[in-house]
Amino acid sequence: MDIQQFLEYCVAKKGVTEHFPFDQDTLVLKVGGKMFLLTSLEQWEIGKPTVNLKCNPEYALELRERYQGVEPGWHMNKVHWNTVTIHDDVPKKLLLELIDHSYELIFKSLTKKLQAEILAD
């Protein structure tokens, strides 16, 4: 998966917006104003892409035990966030499922009103 495929998959989700709140390297994807994904564009350019994704705490631990490419979230709350190394031992299908999982966790945390607005767009 390259950066273009990755971004197309992510921004195709309802209500996703792109931001650079920290620097010009760290791309943050949000839904309803809340981040669900962070990635370094520089890491993609040098062929070592990683992505930080929100995750259910129990599932996060399970993934970390099972995959070398899943670690506690770098610079994030390590209970709720994982850093996933793309092109490591994490299958592409699982990566897409983890992106969906992160998006859904954040989407479900939004108010019902905001959820309805996003779905109506």
Side-chain angles (χ1 to χ4, degrees):
M1 172 178 281
D2 64 26
I3 185 72
Q4 189 65 33
Q5 295 168 320
F6 174 79
L7 289 176
E8 285 174 4
Y9 183 81
C10 294
V11 300
K13 298 182 174 309
K14 288 269 190 179
V16 172
T17 55
E18 299 177 43
H19 305 270
F20 288 91
F22 307 114
D23 53 40
Q24 293 302 309
D25 175 51
T26 307
L27 173 62
V28 175
L29 298 183
K30 296 181 179 184
V31 59
K34 292 185 172 186
M35 68 179 160
F36 74 94
L37 182 152
L38 295 92
T39 191
S40 163
L41 298 180
E42 182 179 305
Q43 291 302 110
W44 282 92
E45 289 175 11
I46 65 171
K48 297 181 181 181
T50 62
V51 59
N52 282 9
L53 297 163
K54 185 129 186 178
C55 191
N56 170 288
E58 295 82 26
Y59 188 36
L61 291 174
E62 178 186 322
L63 291 165
R64 292 172 197 168
E65 290 175 8
R66 188 166 179 200
Y67 297 99
Q68 180 179 337
V70 179
E71 301 177 290
W74 190 68
H75 285 297
M76 305 296 288
N77 179 322
K78 308 223 182 307
V79 173
H80 297 279
W81 288 84
N82 282 329
T83 297
V84 179
T85 301
I86 299 171
H87 306 150
D88 202 333
D89 64 336
V90 179
K92 179 181 174 182
K93 181 180 181 211
L94 177 59
L95 172 63
L96 299 178
E97 290 171 3
L98 294 175
I99 292 168
D100 293 345
H101 178 66
S102 182
Y103 174 89
E104 288 297 324
L105 284 173
I106 298 302
F107 185 83
K108 289 177 182 177
S109 76
L110 303 174
T111 64
K112 297 294 180 195
K113 180 181 176 187
L114 188 51
Q115 288 179 21
E117 289 173 7
I118 291 168
L119 292 175
D121 282 341

PDB file of all heavy atoms in Angstrom, residues 53-66 70-73 76-83 98 101-102 104-106:
ATOM      1  N   LEU A  53      -3.233   4.794  15.552  1.00  0.00           N
ATOM      2  CA  LEU A  53      -4.668   4.551  15.472  1.00  0.00           C
ATOM      3  C   LEU A  53      -5.245   4.301  16.857  1.00  0.00           C
ATOM      4  O   LEU A  53      -4.628   3.605  17.668  1.00  0.00           O
ATOM      5  CB  LEU A  53      -4.944   3.327  14.601  1.00  0.00           C
ATOM      6  CG  LEU A  53      -4.528   3.439  13.137  1.00  0.00           C
ATOM      7  CD1 LEU A  53      -4.468   2.069  12.487  1.00  0.00           C
ATOM      8  CD2 LEU A  53      -5.485   4.348  12.398  1.00  0.00           C
ATOM      9  N   LYS A  54      -6.417   4.836  17.094  1.00  0.00           N
ATOM     10  CA  LYS A  54      -7.126   4.578  18.345  1.00  0.00           C
ATOM     11  C   LYS A  54      -7.600   3.128  18.329  1.00  0.00           C
ATOM     12  O   LYS A  54      -7.922   2.578  17.272  1.00  0.00           O
ATOM     13  CB  LYS A  54      -8.316   5.527  18.473  1.00  0.00           C
ATOM     14  CG  LYS A  54      -9.022   5.407  19.792  1.00  0.00           C
ATOM     15  CD  LYS A  54      -9.208   6.724  20.440  1.00  0.00           C
ATOM     16  CE  LYS A  54      -9.781   6.498  21.825  1.00  0.00           C
ATOM     17  NZ  LYS A  54      -9.957   7.718  22.532  1.00  0.00           N
ATOM     18  N   CYS A  55      -7.637   2.518  19.516  1.00  0.00           N
ATOM     19  CA  CYS A  55      -8.001   1.108  19.590  1.00  0.00           C
ATOM     20  C   CYS A  55      -8.613   0.790  20.947  1.00  0.00           C
ATOM     21  O   CYS A  55      -8.221   1.364  21.963  1.00  0.00           O
ATOM     22  CB  CYS A  55      -6.749   0.248  19.366  1.00  0.00           C
ATOM     23  SG  CYS A  55      -7.089  -1.501  19.111  1.00  0.00           S
ATOM     24  N   ASN A  56      -9.547  -0.130  20.946  1.00  0.00           N
ATOM     25  CA  ASN A  56     -10.103  -0.644  22.190  1.00  0.00           C
ATOM     26  C   ASN A  56      -8.946  -1.195  23.023  1.00  0.00           C
ATOM     27  O   ASN A  56      -8.110  -1.935  22.490  1.00  0.00           O
ATOM     28  CB  ASN A  56     -11.116  -1.745  21.844  1.00  0.00           C
ATOM     29  CG  ASN A  56     -11.582  -2.512  23.042  1.00  0.00           C
ATOM     30  OD1 ASN A  56     -10.830  -3.308  23.598  1.00  0.00           O
ATOM     31  ND2 ASN A  56     -12.808  -2.276  23.433  1.00  0.00           N
ATOM     32  N   PRO A  57      -8.856  -0.843  24.312  1.00  0.00           N
ATOM     33  CA  PRO A  57      -7.693  -1.241  25.123  1.00  0.00           C
ATOM     34  C   PRO A  57      -7.382  -2.738  25.137  1.00  0.00           C
ATOM     35  O   PRO A  57      -6.216  -3.123  25.016  1.00  0.00           O
ATOM     36  CB  PRO A  57      -8.038  -0.739  26.523  1.00  0.00           C
ATOM     37  CG  PRO A  57      -8.941   0.424  26.284  1.00  0.00           C
ATOM     38  CD  PRO A  57      -9.758   0.037  25.072  1.00  0.00           C
ATOM     39  N   GLU A  58      -8.393  -3.587  25.271  1.00  0.00           N
ATOM     40  CA  GLU A  58      -8.144  -5.022  25.299  1.00  0.00           C
ATOM     41  C   GLU A  58      -7.643  -5.520  23.938  1.00  0.00           C
ATOM     42  O   GLU A  58      -6.727  -6.345  23.859  1.00  0.00           O
ATOM     43  CB  GLU A  58      -9.411  -5.800  25.704  1.00  0.00           C
ATOM     44  CG  GLU A  58      -9.881  -5.517  27.115  1.00  0.00           C
ATOM     45  CD  GLU A  58     -10.710  -4.238  27.239  1.00  0.00           C
ATOM     46  OE1 GLU A  58     -11.339  -3.808  26.253  1.00  0.00           O
ATOM     47  OE2 GLU A  58     -10.713  -3.643  28.329  1.00  0.00           O
ATOM     48  N   TYR A  59      -8.251  -5.015  22.889  1.00  0.00           N
ATOM     49  CA  TYR A  59      -7.855  -5.392  21.533  1.00  0.00           C
ATOM     50  C   TYR A  59      -6.439  -4.898  21.244  1.00  0.00           C
ATOM     51  O   TYR A  59      -5.646  -5.594  20.608  1.00  0.00           O
ATOM     52  CB  TYR A  59      -8.863  -4.826  20.532  1.00  0.00           C
ATOM     53  CG  TYR A  59      -8.701  -5.294  19.112  1.00  0.00           C
ATOM     54  CD1 TYR A  59      -8.295  -6.587  18.799  1.00  0.00           C
ATOM     55  CD2 TYR A  59      -8.984  -4.433  18.054  1.00  0.00           C
ATOM     56  CE1 TYR A  59      -8.166  -7.006  17.486  1.00  0.00           C
ATOM     57  CE2 TYR A  59      -8.858  -4.841  16.733  1.00  0.00           C
ATOM     58  CZ  TYR A  59      -8.455  -6.127  16.464  1.00  0.00           C
ATOM     59  OH  TYR A  59      -8.330  -6.541  15.150  1.00  0.00           O
ATOM     60  N   ALA A  60      -6.116  -3.708  21.741  1.00  0.00           N
ATOM     61  CA  ALA A  60      -4.767  -3.151  21.550  1.00  0.00           C
ATOM     62  C   ALA A  60      -3.717  -4.090  22.125  1.00  0.00           C
ATOM     63  O   ALA A  60      -2.696  -4.371  21.476  1.00  0.00           O
ATOM     64  CB  ALA A  60      -4.662  -1.771  22.195  1.00  0.00           C
ATOM     65  N   LEU A  61      -3.957  -4.595  23.321  1.00  0.00           N
ATOM     66  CA  LEU A  61      -3.007  -5.520  23.948  1.00  0.00           C
ATOM     67  C   LEU A  61      -2.879  -6.812  23.144  1.00  0.00           C
ATOM     68  O   LEU A  61      -1.778  -7.329  22.944  1.00  0.00           O
ATOM     69  CB  LEU A  61      -3.443  -5.830  25.380  1.00  0.00           C
ATOM     70  CG  LEU A  61      -3.340  -4.676  26.376  1.00  0.00           C
ATOM     71  CD1 LEU A  61      -3.941  -5.087  27.720  1.00  0.00           C
ATOM     72  CD2 LEU A  61      -1.904  -4.222  26.534  1.00  0.00           C
ATOM     73  N   GLU A  62      -4.000  -7.323  22.683  1.00  0.00           N
ATOM     74  CA  GLU A  62      -3.998  -8.550  21.879  1.00  0.00           C
ATOM     75  C   GLU A  62      -3.170  -8.362  20.605  1.00  0.00           C
ATOM     76  O   GLU A  62      -2.358  -9.218  20.242  1.00  0.00           O
ATOM     77  CB  GLU A  62      -5.441  -8.911  21.526  1.00  0.00           C
ATOM     78  CG  GLU A  62      -5.590 -10.135  20.662  1.00  0.00           C
ATOM     79  CD  GLU A  62      -7.034 -10.354  20.235  1.00  0.00           C
ATOM     80  OE1 GLU A  62      -7.953 -10.113  21.057  1.00  0.00           O
ATOM     81  OE2 GLU A  62      -7.240 -10.764  19.077  1.00  0.00           O
ATOM     82  N   LEU A  63      -3.375  -7.223  19.935  1.00  0.00           N
ATOM     83  CA  LEU A  63      -2.644  -6.945  18.697  1.00  0.00           C
ATOM     84  C   LEU A  63      -1.143  -6.819  18.953  1.00  0.00           C
ATOM     85  O   LEU A  63      -0.329  -7.306  18.166  1.00  0.00           O
ATOM     86  CB  LEU A  63      -3.167  -5.665  18.049  1.00  0.00           C
ATOM     87  CG  LEU A  63      -4.578  -5.747  17.464  1.00  0.00           C
ATOM     88  CD1 LEU A  63      -5.111  -4.348  17.184  1.00  0.00           C
ATOM     89  CD2 LEU A  63      -4.579  -6.600  16.207  1.00  0.00           C
ATOM     90  N   ARG A  64      -0.776  -6.169  20.049  1.00  0.00           N
ATOM     91  CA  ARG A  64       0.642  -5.985  20.375  1.00  0.00           C
ATOM     92  C   ARG A  64       1.334  -7.311  20.655  1.00  0.00           C
ATOM     93  O   ARG A  64       2.510  -7.480  20.341  1.00  0.00           O
ATOM     94  CB  ARG A  64       0.780  -5.055  21.584  1.00  0.00           C
ATOM     95  CG  ARG A  64       0.360  -3.644  21.288  1.00  0.00           C
ATOM     96  CD  ARG A  64       0.338  -2.814  22.545  1.00  0.00           C
ATOM     97  NE  ARG A  64      -0.423  -1.603  22.335  1.00  0.00           N
ATOM     98  CZ  ARG A  64      -0.804  -0.799  23.307  1.00  0.00           C
ATOM     99  NH1 ARG A  64      -0.493  -1.075  24.563  1.00  0.00           N
ATOM    100  NH2 ARG A  64      -1.505   0.281  23.020  1.00  0.00           N
ATOM    101  N   GLU A  65       0.601  -8.241  21.264  1.00  0.00           N
ATOM    102  CA  GLU A  65       1.169  -9.557  21.535  1.00  0.00           C
ATOM    103  C   GLU A  65       1.315 -10.384  20.260  1.00  0.00           C
ATOM    104  O   GLU A  65       2.248 -11.174  20.136  1.00  0.00           O
ATOM    105  CB  GLU A  65       0.293 -10.307  22.538  1.00  0.00           C
ATOM    106  CG  GLU A  65       0.356  -9.730  23.935  1.00  0.00           C
ATOM    107  CD  GLU A  65      -0.603 -10.415  24.896  1.00  0.00           C
ATOM    108  OE1 GLU A  65      -1.222 -11.434  24.528  1.00  0.00           O
ATOM    109  OE2 GLU A  65      -0.749  -9.910  26.021  1.00  0.00           O
ATOM    110  N   ARG A  66       0.413 -10.183  19.330  1.00  0.00           N
ATOM    111  CA  ARG A  66       0.373 -11.010  18.124  1.00  0.00           C
ATOM    112  C   ARG A  66       1.258 -10.501  16.993  1.00  0.00           C
ATOM    113  O   ARG A  66       1.801 -11.299  16.224  1.00  0.00           O
ATOM    114  CB  ARG A  66      -1.068 -11.091  17.641  1.00  0.00           C
ATOM    115  CG  ARG A  66      -1.268 -12.056  16.537  1.00  0.00           C
ATOM    116  CD  ARG A  66      -2.718 -12.364  16.320  1.00  0.00           C
ATOM    117  NE  ARG A  66      -2.836 -13.303  15.217  1.00  0.00           N
ATOM    118  CZ  ARG A  66      -3.923 -13.501  14.534  1.00  0.00           C
ATOM    119  NH1 ARG A  66      -5.004 -12.832  14.829  1.00  0.00           N
ATOM    120  NH2 ARG A  66      -3.948 -14.365  13.548  1.00  0.00           N
ATOM    121  N   VAL A  70       2.859  -3.868  15.665  1.00  0.00           N
ATOM    122  CA  VAL A  70       1.892  -3.106  16.464  1.00  0.00           C
ATOM    123  C   VAL A  70       2.509  -2.858  17.832  1.00  0.00           C
ATOM    124  O   VAL A  70       2.834  -3.791  18.560  1.00  0.00           O
ATOM    125  CB  VAL A  70       0.547  -3.846  16.613  1.00  0.00           C
ATOM    126  CG1 VAL A  70      -0.420  -3.031  17.459  1.00  0.00           C
ATOM    127  CG2 VAL A  70      -0.059  -4.152  15.252  1.00  0.00           C
ATOM    128  N   GLU A  71       2.686  -1.573  18.147  1.00  0.00           N
ATOM    129  CA  GLU A  71       3.301  -1.171  19.414  1.00  0.00           C
ATOM    130  C   GLU A  71       2.432  -0.122  20.097  1.00  0.00           C
ATOM    131  O   GLU A  71       1.572   0.484  19.454  1.00  0.00           O
ATOM    132  CB  GLU A  71       4.683  -0.586  19.146  1.00  0.00           C
ATOM    133  CG  GLU A  71       5.633  -1.553  18.450  1.00  0.00           C
ATOM    134  CD  GLU A  71       6.956  -0.897  18.137  1.00  0.00           C
ATOM    135  OE1 GLU A  71       6.984  -0.020  17.239  1.00  0.00           O
ATOM    136  OE2 GLU A  71       7.949  -1.260  18.786  1.00  0.00           O
ATOM    137  N   PRO A  72       2.673   0.119  21.391  1.00  0.00           N
ATOM    138  CA  PRO A  72       1.938   1.196  22.058  1.00  0.00           C
ATOM    139  C   PRO A  72       2.124   2.511  21.298  1.00  0.00           C
ATOM    140  O   PRO A  72       3.184   2.777  20.750  1.00  0.00           O
ATOM    141  CB  PRO A  72       2.586   1.264  23.442  1.00  0.00           C
ATOM    142  CG  PRO A  72       3.161  -0.100  23.654  1.00  0.00           C
ATOM    143  CD  PRO A  72       3.602  -0.557  22.289  1.00  0.00           C
ATOM    144  N   GLY A  73       1.079   3.315  21.261  1.00  0.00           N
ATOM    145  CA  GLY A  73       1.089   4.553  20.487  1.00  0.00           C
ATOM    146  C   GLY A  73       2.223   5.495  20.858  1.00  0.00           C
ATOM    147  O   GLY A  73       2.346   5.904  22.004  1.00  0.00           O
ATOM    148  N   MET A  76       1.418   9.033  22.376  1.00  0.00           N
ATOM    149  CA  MET A  76      -0.028   8.986  22.570  1.00  0.00           C
ATOM    150  C   MET A  76      -0.324   8.237  23.869  1.00  0.00           C
ATOM    151  O   MET A  76       0.558   7.635  24.455  1.00  0.00           O
ATOM    152  CB  MET A  76      -0.706   8.256  21.400  1.00  0.00           C
ATOM    153  CG  MET A  76      -0.404   8.806  20.024  1.00  0.00           C
ATOM    154  SD  MET A  76      -0.998  10.474  19.752  1.00  0.00           S
ATOM    155  CE  MET A  76      -2.744  10.186  19.632  1.00  0.00           C
ATOM    156  N   ASN A  77      -1.593   8.267  24.272  1.00  0.00           N
ATOM    157  CA  ASN A  77      -2.025   7.478  25.414  1.00  0.00           C
ATOM    158  C   ASN A  77      -1.866   6.005  25.034  1.00  0.00           C
ATOM    159  O   ASN A  77      -2.539   5.508  24.138  1.00  0.00           O
ATOM    160  CB  ASN A  77      -3.483   7.789  25.741  1.00  0.00           C
ATOM    161  CG  ASN A  77      -4.013   6.989  26.908  1.00  0.00           C
ATOM    162  OD1 ASN A  77      -3.690   5.820  27.082  1.00  0.00           O
ATOM    163  ND2 ASN A  77      -4.836   7.613  27.718  1.00  0.00           N
ATOM    164  N   LYS A  78      -0.965   5.323  25.695  1.00  0.00           N
ATOM    165  CA  LYS A  78      -0.581   3.969  25.310  1.00  0.00           C
ATOM    166  C   LYS A  78      -1.670   2.930  25.597  1.00  0.00           C
ATOM    167  O   LYS A  78      -1.598   1.815  25.095  1.00  0.00           O
ATOM    168  CB  LYS A  78       0.723   3.596  25.983  1.00  0.00           C
ATOM    169  CG  LYS A  78       1.779   4.680  25.716  1.00  0.00           C
ATOM    170  CD  LYS A  78       3.099   4.178  25.384  1.00  0.00           C
ATOM    171  CE  LYS A  78       4.154   5.207  25.163  1.00  0.00           C
ATOM    172  NZ  LYS A  78       3.895   6.257  24.227  1.00  0.00           N
ATOM    173  N   VAL A  79      -2.673   3.295  26.362  1.00  0.00           N
ATOM    174  CA  VAL A  79      -3.779   2.385  26.620  1.00  0.00           C
ATOM    175  C   VAL A  79      -4.719   2.356  25.421  1.00  0.00           C
ATOM    176  O   VAL A  79      -5.232   1.308  25.035  1.00  0.00           O
ATOM    177  CB  VAL A  79      -4.551   2.808  27.895  1.00  0.00           C
ATOM    178  CG1 VAL A  79      -5.808   1.979  28.087  1.00  0.00           C
ATOM    179  CG2 VAL A  79      -3.655   2.712  29.118  1.00  0.00           C
ATOM    180  N   HIS A  80      -4.932   3.519  24.817  1.00  0.00           N
ATOM    181  CA  HIS A  80      -5.949   3.663  23.775  1.00  0.00           C
ATOM    182  C   HIS A  80      -5.420   3.806  22.349  1.00  0.00           C
ATOM    183  O   HIS A  80      -6.217   3.856  21.408  1.00  0.00           O
ATOM    184  CB  HIS A  80      -6.830   4.877  24.080  1.00  0.00           C
ATOM    185  CG  HIS A  80      -7.591   4.736  25.349  1.00  0.00           C
ATOM    186  ND1 HIS A  80      -8.763   4.012  25.438  1.00  0.00           N
ATOM    187  CD2 HIS A  80      -7.344   5.194  26.600  1.00  0.00           C
ATOM    188  CE1 HIS A  80      -9.203   4.055  26.680  1.00  0.00           C
ATOM    189  NE2 HIS A  80      -8.361   4.758  27.403  1.00  0.00           N
ATOM    190  N   TRP A  81      -4.107   3.916  22.177  1.00  0.00           N
ATOM    191  CA  TRP A  81      -3.546   4.139  20.847  1.00  0.00           C
ATOM    192  C   TRP A  81      -2.435   3.145  20.544  1.00  0.00           C
ATOM    193  O   TRP A  81      -1.635   2.820  21.419  1.00  0.00           O
ATOM    194  CB  TRP A  81      -2.987   5.563  20.743  1.00  0.00           C
ATOM    195  CG  TRP A  81      -4.046   6.616  20.698  1.00  0.00           C
ATOM    196  CD1 TRP A  81      -4.682   7.170  21.772  1.00  0.00           C
ATOM    197  CD2 TRP A  81      -4.599   7.236  19.544  1.00  0.00           C
ATOM    198  NE1 TRP A  81      -5.598   8.098  21.341  1.00  0.00           N
ATOM    199  CE2 TRP A  81      -5.561   8.161  19.974  1.00  0.00           C
ATOM    200  CE3 TRP A  81      -4.366   7.099  18.166  1.00  0.00           C
ATOM    201  CZ2 TRP A  81      -6.299   8.947  19.087  1.00  0.00           C
ATOM    202  CZ3 TRP A  81      -5.089   7.883  17.290  1.00  0.00           C
ATOM    203  CH2 TRP A  81      -6.051   8.790  17.751  1.00  0.00           C
ATOM    204  N   ASN A  82      -2.398   2.700  19.298  1.00  0.00           N
ATOM    205  CA  ASN A  82      -1.324   1.846  18.796  1.00  0.00           C
ATOM    206  C   ASN A  82      -0.586   2.565  17.679  1.00  0.00           C
ATOM    207  O   ASN A  82      -1.183   3.338  16.936  1.00  0.00           O
ATOM    208  CB  ASN A  82      -1.884   0.543  18.197  1.00  0.00           C
ATOM    209  CG  ASN A  82      -2.283  -0.458  19.233  1.00  0.00           C
ATOM    210  OD1 ASN A  82      -1.706  -0.525  20.306  1.00  0.00           O
ATOM    211  ND2 ASN A  82      -3.279  -1.260  18.906  1.00  0.00           N
ATOM    212  N   THR A  83       0.692   2.275  17.562  1.00  0.00           N
ATOM    213  CA  THR A  83       1.460   2.655  16.384  1.00  0.00           C
ATOM    214  C   THR A  83       1.634   1.394  15.560  1.00  0.00           C
ATOM    215  O   THR A  83       2.147   0.388  16.051  1.00  0.00           O
ATOM    216  CB  THR A  83       2.835   3.242  16.766  1.00  0.00           C
ATOM    217  OG1 THR A  83       2.626   4.448  17.514  1.00  0.00           O
ATOM    218  CG2 THR A  83       3.651   3.556  15.514  1.00  0.00           C
ATOM    219  N   LEU A  98      -8.165  -1.926  11.148  1.00  0.00           N
ATOM    220  CA  LEU A  98      -7.753  -1.081  12.272  1.00  0.00           C
ATOM    221  C   LEU A  98      -8.066   0.390  12.004  1.00  0.00           C
ATOM    222  O   LEU A  98      -8.422   1.127  12.930  1.00  0.00           O
ATOM    223  CB  LEU A  98      -6.273  -1.284  12.581  1.00  0.00           C
ATOM    224  CG  LEU A  98      -5.905  -2.673  13.101  1.00  0.00           C
ATOM    225  CD1 LEU A  98      -4.396  -2.804  13.260  1.00  0.00           C
ATOM    226  CD2 LEU A  98      -6.625  -2.976  14.407  1.00  0.00           C
ATOM    227  N   HIS A 101     -11.724   0.594  12.614  1.00  0.00           N
ATOM    228  CA  HIS A 101     -11.975   0.499  14.054  1.00  0.00           C
ATOM    229  C   HIS A 101     -11.711   1.845  14.739  1.00  0.00           C
ATOM    230  O   HIS A 101     -12.527   2.308  15.541  1.00  0.00           O
ATOM    231  CB  HIS A 101     -11.086  -0.605  14.646  1.00  0.00           C
ATOM    232  CG  HIS A 101     -11.195  -0.782  16.125  1.00  0.00           C
ATOM    233  ND1 HIS A 101     -12.339  -1.223  16.744  1.00  0.00           N
ATOM    234  CD2 HIS A 101     -10.290  -0.572  17.116  1.00  0.00           C
ATOM    235  CE1 HIS A 101     -12.134  -1.287  18.057  1.00  0.00           C
ATOM    236  NE2 HIS A 101     -10.893  -0.901  18.299  1.00  0.00           N
ATOM    237  N   SER A 102     -10.607   2.477  14.405  1.00  0.00           N
ATOM    238  CA  SER A 102     -10.264   3.770  14.983  1.00  0.00           C
ATOM    239  C   SER A 102     -11.323   4.814  14.623  1.00  0.00           C
ATOM    240  O   SER A 102     -11.809   5.559  15.477  1.00  0.00           O
ATOM    241  CB  SER A 102      -8.880   4.215  14.501  1.00  0.00           C
ATOM    242  OG  SER A 102      -8.516   5.443  15.081  1.00  0.00           O
ATOM    243  N   GLU A 104     -14.435   4.323  13.744  1.00  0.00           N
ATOM    244  CA  GLU A 104     -15.709   4.015  14.413  1.00  0.00           C
ATOM    245  C   GLU A 104     -15.688   4.389  15.897  1.00  0.00           C
ATOM    246  O   GLU A 104     -16.686   4.883  16.422  1.00  0.00           O
ATOM    247  CB  GLU A 104     -16.055   2.531  14.249  1.00  0.00           C
ATOM    248  CG  GLU A 104     -16.482   2.168  12.853  1.00  0.00           C
ATOM    249  CD  GLU A 104     -17.764   2.869  12.414  1.00  0.00           C
ATOM    250  OE1 GLU A 104     -18.680   3.064  13.249  1.00  0.00           O
ATOM    251  OE2 GLU A 104     -17.851   3.239  11.224  1.00  0.00           O
ATOM    252  N   LEU A 105     -14.566   4.136  16.564  1.00  0.00           N
ATOM    253  CA  LEU A 105     -14.474   4.514  17.980  1.00  0.00           C
ATOM    254  C   LEU A 105     -14.682   6.010  18.153  1.00  0.00           C
ATOM    255  O   LEU A 105     -15.408   6.451  19.057  1.00  0.00           O
ATOM    256  CB  LEU A 105     -13.109   4.119  18.557  1.00  0.00           C
ATOM    257  CG  LEU A 105     -12.887   2.647  18.861  1.00  0.00           C
ATOM    258  CD1 LEU A 105     -11.435   2.408  19.263  1.00  0.00           C
ATOM    259  CD2 LEU A 105     -13.829   2.167  19.960  1.00  0.00           C
ATOM    260  N   ILE A 106     -14.052   6.797  17.293  1.00  0.00           N
ATOM    261  CA  ILE A 106     -14.184   8.250  17.400  1.00  0.00           C
ATOM    262  C   ILE A 106     -15.581   8.688  16.972  1.00  0.00           C
ATOM    263  O   ILE A 106     -16.215   9.500  17.642  1.00  0.00           O
ATOM    264  CB  ILE A 106     -13.091   8.967  16.576  1.00  0.00           C
ATOM    265  CG1 ILE A 106     -11.701   8.604  17.104  1.00  0.00           C
ATOM    266  CG2 ILE A 106     -13.305  10.475  16.579  1.00  0.00           C
ATOM    267  CD1 ILE A 106     -11.451   8.935  18.559  1.00  0.00           C
TER     268      ILE A 106
END
